[in-house]
PDB file of all heavy atoms in Angstrom:
ATOM      1  N   ILE A  42     -49.966  27.838 101.773  1.00 98.00           N
ATOM      2  CA  ILE A  42     -50.878  28.610 102.610  1.00 98.00           C
ATOM      3  C   ILE A  42     -50.419  30.065 102.688  1.00 98.00           C
ATOM      4  O   ILE A  42     -49.341  30.346 103.228  1.00 98.00           O
ATOM      5  CB  ILE A  42     -50.950  28.054 104.046  1.00 98.00           C
ATOM      6  CG1 ILE A  42     -51.091  26.525 104.039  1.00 98.00           C
ATOM      7  CG2 ILE A  42     -52.071  28.729 104.821  1.00 98.00           C
ATOM      8  CD1 ILE A  42     -52.362  26.009 103.473  1.00 98.00           C
ATOM      9  N   ASP A  48     -55.486  37.953 107.426  1.00 98.00           N
ATOM     10  CA  ASP A  48     -56.247  36.700 107.346  1.00 98.00           C
ATOM     11  C   ASP A  48     -56.098  35.834 108.587  1.00 98.00           C
ATOM     12  O   ASP A  48     -56.871  34.884 108.776  1.00 98.00           O
ATOM     13  CB  ASP A  48     -55.812  35.884 106.123  1.00 98.00           C
ATOM     14  CG  ASP A  48     -56.190  36.547 104.812  1.00 98.00           C
ATOM     15  OD1 ASP A  48     -57.184  37.296 104.802  1.00 98.00           O
ATOM     16  OD2 ASP A  48     -55.487  36.328 103.808  1.00 98.00           O
ATOM     17  N   MET A  73     -52.880  38.004 117.551  1.00 98.00           N
ATOM     18  CA  MET A  73     -53.484  37.427 118.746  1.00 98.00           C
ATOM     19  C   MET A  73     -53.085  35.952 118.801  1.00 98.00           C
ATOM     20  O   MET A  73     -53.103  35.251 117.791  1.00 98.00           O
ATOM     21  CB  MET A  73     -55.009  37.550 118.714  1.00 98.00           C
ATOM     22  CG  MET A  73     -55.705  36.868 119.903  1.00 98.00           C
ATOM     23  SD  MET A  73     -55.054  37.344 121.535  1.00 98.00           S
ATOM     24  CE  MET A  73     -55.640  39.053 121.595  1.00 98.00           C
ATOM     25  N   ASN A 124     -48.536   3.222 135.483  1.00 94.00           N
ATOM     26  CA  ASN A 124     -47.723   2.003 135.566  1.00 94.00           C
ATOM     27  C   ASN A 124     -47.256   1.865 137.012  1.00 94.00           C
ATOM     28  O   ASN A 124     -47.803   2.508 137.916  1.00 94.00           O
ATOM     29  CB  ASN A 124     -46.560   2.019 134.558  1.00 94.00           C
ATOM     30  CG  ASN A 124     -45.505   3.065 134.888  1.00 94.00           C
ATOM     31  OD1 ASN A 124     -45.627   3.839 135.841  1.00 94.00           O
ATOM     32  ND2 ASN A 124     -44.457   3.099 134.076  1.00 94.00           N
ATOM     33  N   GLN A 138     -48.814  19.689 143.264  1.00 98.00           N
ATOM     34  CA  GLN A 138     -47.595  20.490 143.317  1.00 98.00           C
ATOM     35  C   GLN A 138     -47.547  21.513 142.183  1.00 98.00           C
ATOM     36  O   GLN A 138     -47.202  22.683 142.395  1.00 98.00           O
ATOM     37  CB  GLN A 138     -46.372  19.572 143.258  1.00 98.00           C
ATOM     38  CG  GLN A 138     -46.151  18.758 144.520  1.00 98.00           C
ATOM     39  CD  GLN A 138     -44.994  17.773 144.383  1.00 98.00           C
ATOM     40  OE1 GLN A 138     -44.573  17.426 143.274  1.00 98.00           O
ATOM     41  NE2 GLN A 138     -44.486  17.297 145.506  1.00 98.00           N
ATOM     42  N   VAL A 151     -56.234  21.382 131.231  1.00 95.00           N
ATOM     43  CA  VAL A 151     -56.769  20.352 130.341  1.00 95.00           C
ATOM     44  C   VAL A 151     -56.128  19.017 130.690  1.00 95.00           C
ATOM     45  O   VAL A 151     -54.903  18.929 130.827  1.00 95.00           O
ATOM     46  CB  VAL A 151     -56.485  20.697 128.867  1.00 95.00           C
ATOM     47  CG1 VAL A 151     -56.943  19.565 127.948  1.00 95.00           C
ATOM     48  CG2 VAL A 151     -57.169  22.008 128.480  1.00 95.00           C
ATOM     49  N   ASP A 254     -42.507  13.732 112.868  1.00 96.00           N
ATOM     50  CA  ASP A 254     -41.126  13.251 112.928  1.00 96.00           C
ATOM     51  C   ASP A 254     -40.108  14.379 112.837  1.00 96.00           C
ATOM     52  O   ASP A 254     -39.089  14.279 112.162  1.00 96.00           O
ATOM     53  CB  ASP A 254     -40.861  12.222 111.824  1.00 96.00           C
ATOM     54  CG  ASP A 254     -41.543  10.888 112.100  1.00 96.00           C
ATOM     55  OD1 ASP A 254     -41.423  10.388 113.229  1.00 96.00           O
ATOM     56  OD2 ASP A 254     -42.213  10.369 111.188  1.00 96.00           O
ATOM     57  N   ILE A 281     -34.367  27.594 107.881  1.00 97.00           N
ATOM     58  CA  ILE A 281     -35.378  28.597 108.243  1.00 97.00           C
ATOM     59  C   ILE A 281     -35.955  29.286 107.008  1.00 97.00           C
ATOM     60  O   ILE A 281     -37.025  29.899 107.075  1.00 97.00           O
ATOM     61  CB  ILE A 281     -34.830  29.645 109.231  1.00 97.00           C
ATOM     62  CG1 ILE A 281     -33.758  30.512 108.574  1.00 97.00           C
ATOM     63  CG2 ILE A 281     -34.313  28.993 110.491  1.00 97.00           C
ATOM     64  CD1 ILE A 281     -33.398  31.722 109.404  1.00 97.00           C
ATOM     65  N   LEU A 298     -52.562  25.859  95.871  1.00 97.00           N
ATOM     66  CA  LEU A 298     -52.777  27.062  96.668  1.00 97.00           C
ATOM     67  C   LEU A 298     -54.074  26.929  97.446  1.00 97.00           C
ATOM     68  O   LEU A 298     -55.134  26.675  96.864  1.00 97.00           O
ATOM     69  CB  LEU A 298     -52.829  28.302  95.768  1.00 97.00           C
ATOM     70  CG  LEU A 298     -53.092  29.629  96.478  1.00 97.00           C
ATOM     71  CD1 LEU A 298     -51.928  29.958  97.418  1.00 97.00           C
ATOM     72  CD2 LEU A 298     -53.317  30.736  95.462  1.00 97.00           C
TER      73      LEU A 298
END
Side-chain angles (χ1 to χ4, degrees):
I42 314 294
D48 293 332
M73 176 51 69
N124 68 357
Q138 289 175 341
V151 175
D254 288 312
I281 67 168
L298 178 65

